Amino acid sequence: MTPRFLMTDPAWFDVSYSINPWMRPDAWATHRKTEAIAASAALRRALESCGALVEMVPAVEGLPDLVFPANAAVVLDGRALLARFRHPERQGEEAPFRAAFERLADWGLISEIVELPAGLTHEGAGDGLWDETRQLFWTGHGPRSHRAASDVIGQVFGRPVVPLELATEAYYHLDTCFRPLSGGEVLYYPPAFTAAGLAAIEAHVAPADRIIATDEDAQAFCVNAVCLDRTVIMARAPERLAQRLTARGYALAEVDLDPFILSGGAAFCMTLRLDLASQPVLALQK
Ligand code: ARG
């Protein structure tokens, strides 16, 4: 199966408001736009070098964070549960992302589009990570997504869900501080979680599979990574993290994503995987 991703044309990317502590409109300079366009293209090339196909969402003026399609929906088995954003600054993205999914449905890349119940916010794969090894969803709640949305994810996809409460505004989406890797390890940043969240992680992930991100790794947005088979695509990594992943048999593809880090995002949230499929439950019981 060819991996398929959604990305967004960065033509209108900008840091013009602040809804997380990384976003500083005053520090944003216009030349960054050219860098951002190059960085997005480099990320796309990194995905394509791994054999992936990338579909693009058109840019929309006035919606700078549309470049983070991980926040558009949770997708598994051809079903897309559309996101609902917490902040008014991003709510305008809901319509263009819906249109993008309708197009994907026309092309046969998505089979079903599902809405969240009224009154619930949930910011897509940013707070809903599919763990292929454990065949479950890890969900984040607190800063952006409601806890109750985790139950909806369980019902919509018929798979187990482990909800994790996020403890800080700096790590406001689960994908900024938690990344299951293809070999079963989980790269995560403990200070981003409440004690209950950490206990839930430890209950599901064996000590040998816990890769603890340092402050430096988390601040470099390296936990926000895409893992494709044995390649991990991430923002420029601290050397020690690169060594630790290489020692476990992963190849690292580093991309300079600095302009997007100024918005509080990097490789994982600039993409959305469209072809994730769960294993049949019968196969799991064997
Ligand atoms: N500026 C965006 C926001 O605060 C960044 C989103 C990054 N997305 C993610 N899934 N981490 O909403």
Side-chain angles (χ1 to χ4, degrees):
M1 269 285 275
T2 306
R4 280 192 187 258
F5 288 87
L6 203 59
M7 285 186 68
T8 302
D9 177 346
W12 289 109
F13 175 63
D14 198 353
V15 183
S16 52
Y17 53 74
S18 179
I19 54 171
N20 71 54
W22 309 93
M23 299 177 83
R24 295 198 5 252
D26 53 315
W28 174 257
T30 40
H31 72 269
R32 287 292 195 165
K33 180 70 144 299
T34 319
E35 292 171 23
I37 290 170
S40 169
L43 177 60
R44 179 177 180 163
R45 280 194 302 276
L47 293 169
E48 290 172 342
S49 310
C50 293
L53 290 177
V54 179
E55 311 292 345
M56 293 303 274
V57 178
V60 178
E61 185 174 4
L63 296 177
D65 280 340
L66 200 68
V67 296
F68 300 113
N71 298 127
V74 176
V75 182
L76 182 72
D77 295 332
R79 192 172 293 143
L81 174 64
L82 297 181
R84 187 171 300 121
F85 288 91
R86 160 90 190 267
H87 292 293
E89 288 86 342
R90 294 200 68 183
Q91 286 165 358
E93 296 175 39
E94 290 169 18
F97 278 141
R98 166 181 272 283
F101 279 99
E102 283 166 357
R103 250 183 339 266
L104 293 170
D106 289 344
W107 297 340
L109 295 175
I110 287 291
S111 53
E112 197 186 341
I113 298 174
V114 188
E115 300 250 8
L116 280 166
L120 284 188
T121 65
H122 187 272
E123 298 197 350
D127 272 334
L129 303 183
W130 177 244
D131 183 330
E132 295 195 66
T133 306
R134 297 170 187 82
Q135 293 288 298
L136 54 77
F137 277 106
W138 298 93
T139 57
H141 62 96
R144 299 290 180 90
S145 301
H146 284 123
R147 164 69 182 78
S150 299
D151 301 332
V152 176
I153 291 174
Q155 286 150 17
V156 166
F157 296 99
R159 294 289 150 166
V161 176
V162 183
L164 301 174
E165 190 178 1
L166 300 172
T168 70
E169 280 296 325
Y171 298 96
Y172 56 93
H173 280 141
L174 184 61
D175 68 2
T176 63
C177 51
F178 189 91
R179 179 71 238 149
L181 302 178
S182 56
E185 304 93 336
V186 177
L187 171 64
Y188 68 105
Y189 181 56
F193 297 92
T194 60
L198 278 182
I201 296 171
E202 288 163 9
H204 286 87
V205 182
D209 285 332
R210 299 176 198 158
I211 307 180
I212 304 295
T214 62
D215 293 349
E216 196 193 0
D217 301 337
Q219 285 160 18
F221 272 80
C222 289
V223 183
N224 194 262
V226 174
C227 185
L228 261 180
D229 198 9
R230 298 302 289 181
T231 303
V232 187
I233 303 172
M234 59 170 60
R236 278 180 304 144
E239 208 170 311
R240 181 76 192 103
L241 176 63
Q243 287 164 355
R244 285 195 289 160
L245 291 170
T246 314
R248 287 182 183 255
Y250 291 98
L252 222 62
E254 294 176 54
V255 184
D256 180 350
L257 298 173
D258 282 358
F260 296 97
I261 293 175
L262 292 175
S263 187
F268 182 85
C269 53
M270 293 173 66
T271 64
L272 178 66
R273 183 90 188 256
L274 297 173
D275 62 302
L276 290 174
S278 63
Q279 287 165 18
V281 175
L282 274 177
L284 292 176
Q285 285 167 351
K286 273 194 205 139

